[in-house]
Amino acid sequence: MRAHTTSTLRGLHPKPITTSSSCSTSHTQQLRHRSDLLRPPTRWQRFQAATQASHGPRNPLNYIDVAQFQTHRSRLLRKKILLYGAGIAICIGGQIYMVSSTWGKSTSEKDAKIRPKQAYERCDAPPASGLEHVEGRPVVVKPKPGQPEIKLDEFGRELVPTGTSTIPFFPRNIRVPVTLIHPSSSSSAADPAATPVSSTPGLGAQSTEEDYTLLGLGIRTVSFLSIQVYVLGLYIRTSDLGTLQEAFIKHARSNPSSSSLIPSEREALQAALLDPAQSLQIWEKILQSTGTRSCVRIVPTRGTDFNHLRDGWVRGITARTQELSRAGASTAKEYEDESFGQAMKAFQALLSGRGKAPKGSTILLTRDESGRLGVVYDHAGVKEVLGGLEDERVARQVWLGYLGGKNVSSEGARKSVVEGVGELVARPMGTVGVGAAAI
C-alpha cells in the first residue's frame, strides 16, 4: 500500500513552472506587432494589399494564383517602360525640332536694317538654290571626249562638287577685289595691330580684282551627330600658285636640283601635312615666308550668326596657343605678349553685333602677303566689308585651325587641301599660276 501510494504521488508530481518565459515571449511579439501596425506600409505592401483587394487573398501554395500575380506585375512593368520610352522620345524630338527651327530661320528685318543695300557689283555669289542651279544660276554641263563631264555656271566658271546637297557646288575660280585684301588703316588708333578697320570702299575702289583658284574644300560639322554648319574652301591667288608650289617642292625634295617631286617624295609630303606636329611646322613656315595671298570662302548650310562663327574661331585659337604653352614650344612666347591679347579683343569686336548669316550667304576671310586679315560679307548681291586686322598672328591662327594640328575644324577640308598640294607639286615648277586649277 505504501509503495502504491508513493508511485501515485510520483505520477502526480507537477512539472517545472515556465510561465514567466512564455509571458515574456508573447509580450515581445505583441510589441513587435504594435510597432508593425504603427509603421507606415511600404510600396510593396501597398501593392500587395491592392492586389489582394482586387483578386482576394493569395495562397502562396496556389501556383496558378502566383502565376497570375507575376503576369500582372510584368504587365505593369511593361506599361511603365513604354511610358518612360515615350517621354524620352518626346523630349529628344522636341529638342531636334527647336534646333532645326532656330537654325533654319532667315534673316530678320533687324538684320536687313543693319546691312542696307548698296549698289555694289558682288565679288562672289548668292546662295545656292538646288542641284540644277548653283548660286542662283543654271548649271551647264560641258562634255569632253574621254573625260568626266564638267559642270559650269552661266559665266563659264567650272564648278566643283562639295559633297552636300545644301550647297552642292563651289566655283573653282573666284575674283576678289584687291581693296578687300588691303583694309585701309587710316582710321586706326595708336596701336594699329589691335584696332579693327571698318571701312566700306566705294564703287571706284573695287575696280581692280584678282583671280583666285580653289586648292581644297570641305564641310564643317559639329557634335557627334555630325550636324553640317558650313562649307569652306581655301583659295590661293592664281598668280601665287607658282610661289606656293616652289615652297612645297623645296621643302620636300631630296635632290636640290629637281623641279618637281617624285611619287615617294610627294607621298611623304602629304603624310607630313596630315601629321599633327609636322603639319603645324610646315604651314607656319609657308604662311610666314611665302607671302602668298589666300582666301577662305565660307557658305553656311543652315542659318547661323556671326557670334557663333566668332566663338568657334576664338576657341580654336585659344586652345592652340595654350597647347603651345603647355608643350613649351619656342613659338609660345609669340602669343603671350599684351599686343596679341589686344588683337584678339579687336577680332572679337570686329565680328560682334553683326547679326545672322543665313543659309547660302558668303563670308570671305582674306589674308594678304603681309598676313593682314580682311572680313567680307556677301548676301544676295549685297557686299559689305566688315573690316580687318593688322596683326598677322590672328589670320595665321585662323588658317592653322583648318590646316594644321591634331584637331582641325574640318578634317575633310584638310585632306582635300593636302590632295590639292599633292597635285600641285607633281607638276614641274613654273608650269602653274596662270589660270591653273589646283585640284
Side-chain angles (χ1 to χ4, degrees):
M1 183 70 180
R2 185 175 181 181
H4 177 72
T5 305
T6 303
S7 62
T8 304
L9 291 175
R10 288 176 181 174
L12 296 176
H13 193 275
K15 296 180 180 180
I17 300 174
T18 58
T19 306
S20 59
S21 61
S22 302
C23 292
S24 61
T25 303
S26 62
H27 182 66
T28 303
Q29 292 177 352
Q30 290 177 1
L31 290 177
R32 289 179 180 176
H33 181 66
R34 290 178 181 177
S35 63
D36 292 340
L37 292 176
L38 295 176
R39 186 181 304 165
T42 62
R43 297 180 61 182
W44 177 250
Q45 290 174 346
R46 290 197 299 269
F47 177 77
Q48 285 183 325
T51 305
Q52 291 178 2
S54 58
H55 299 284
R58 181 172 57 85
N59 184 4
L61 300 178
N62 187 350
Y63 296 102
I64 298 178
D65 189 21
V66 172
Q68 292 178 353
F69 172 74
Q70 292 178 348
T71 303
H72 180 65
R73 183 184 179 190
S74 301
R75 196 175 300 160
L76 291 178
L77 292 177
R78 284 196 299 269
K79 185 177 180 181
K80 288 183 179 180
I81 292 174
L82 290 176
L83 290 176
Y84 294 156
I88 293 174
I90 292 174
C91 291
I92 295 177
Q95 292 178 359
I96 293 175
Y97 173 76
M98 291 175 61
V99 171
S100 61
S101 61
T102 302
W103 285 3
K105 290 182 179 178
S106 59
T107 308
S108 61
E109 296 180 357
K110 182 178 179 180
D111 299 323
K113 293 180 180 179
I114 295 177
R115 303 185 182 92
K117 292 186 177 180
Q118 303 179 22
Y120 290 162
E121 179 186 358
R122 56 187 174 189
C123 72
D124 218 338
S129 59
L131 290 176
E132 299 300 326
H133 290 76
V134 58
E135 301 171 349
R137 306 185 184 103
V139 175
V140 180
V141 178
K142 182 180 179 181
K144 274 191 175 183
Q147 294 185 6
E149 294 181 344
I150 299 177
K151 295 185 177 180
L152 309 173
D153 61 9
E154 63 178 356
F155 298 111
R157 298 187 306 176
E158 183 180 350
L159 302 176
V160 179
T162 62
T164 176
S165 59
T166 309
I167 309 295
F169 301 105
F170 255 35
R172 188 176 294 273
N173 293 87
I174 61 174
R175 295 190 63 81
V176 180
V178 177
T179 52
L180 300 186
I181 313 171
H182 296 278
S184 174
S185 59
S186 59
S187 60
S188 59
D191 186 5
T195 304
V197 181
S198 299
S199 61
T200 305
L203 291 174
Q206 299 188 17
S207 58
T208 304
E209 293 182 339
E210 293 181 323
D211 189 73
Y212 279 65
T213 301
L214 182 64
L215 186 65
L217 56 84
I219 304 172
R220 162 70 170 166
T221 59
V222 295
S223 83
F224 67 96
L225 298 175
S226 296
I227 300 175
Q228 297 180 358
V229 181
Y230 57 79
V231 182
L232 67 104
L234 177 64
Y235 288 82
I236 307 295
R237 187 174 66 165
T238 305
S239 59
D240 289 337
L241 285 175
T243 304
L244 185 65
Q245 178 201 37
E246 182 180 357
F248 277 115
I249 290 177
K250 288 182 178 180
H251 173 81
R253 67 185 179 184
S254 56
N255 184 2
S257 61
S258 62
S259 61
S260 63
L261 298 183
I262 61 177
S264 59
E265 294 173 339
R266 186 167 65 251
E267 293 174 0
L269 175 61
Q270 291 178 319
L273 290 175
L274 294 176
D275 182 76
Q278 296 185 56
S279 61
L280 274 178
Q281 297 175 1
I282 295 174
W283 281 113
E284 282 262 11
K285 180 180 177 181
I286 293 295
L287 292 174
Q288 289 184 284
S289 62
T290 58
T292 57
R293 298 183 186 181
S294 56
C295 171
V296 175
R297 183 177 187 262
I298 296 172
V299 180
T301 59
R302 59 180 68 236
T304 183
D305 55 64
F306 281 89
N307 290 337
H308 176 74
L309 298 173
R310 176 206 62 194
D311 294 341
W313 290 321
V314 170
R315 283 195 302 267
I317 294 174
T318 304
R320 282 188 297 277
T321 53
Q322 291 178 351
E323 181 64 25
L324 290 175
S325 300
R326 287 193 296 266
S330 58
T331 57
K333 297 181 180 179
E334 184 180 4
Y335 305 102
E336 294 177 355
D337 58 356
E338 185 179 356
S339 62
F340 181 71
Q342 294 177 351
M344 287 299 299
K345 291 181 180 179
F347 177 63
Q348 297 182 52
L350 177 64
L351 299 175
S352 298
R354 300 292 182 178
K356 296 184 179 298
K359 168 185 172 182
S361 58
T362 301
I363 300 170
L364 297 177
L365 302 178
T366 61
R367 187 177 184 273
D368 66 3
E369 67 277 2
S370 300
R372 292 177 295 186
L373 177 70
V375 183
V376 185
Y377 177 72
D378 184 8
H379 174 53
V382 179
K383 181 178 59 181
E384 180 182 1
V385 181
L386 302 184
L389 287 175
E390 294 290 334
D391 196 324
E392 65 88 21
R393 293 173 293 182
V394 177
R396 193 200 326 159
Q397 284 298 320
V398 173
W399 261 239
L400 290 176
Y402 296 111
L403 300 174
K406 182 179 180 181
N407 299 316
V408 293
S409 298
S410 173
E411 188 64 33
R414 172 158 73 171
K415 291 180 179 179
S416 179
V417 170
V418 170
E419 292 176 1
V421 171
E423 296 189 10
L424 196 66
V425 298
R427 302 171 60 179
M429 287 190 297
T431 59
V432 298
V434 183
I439 62 174

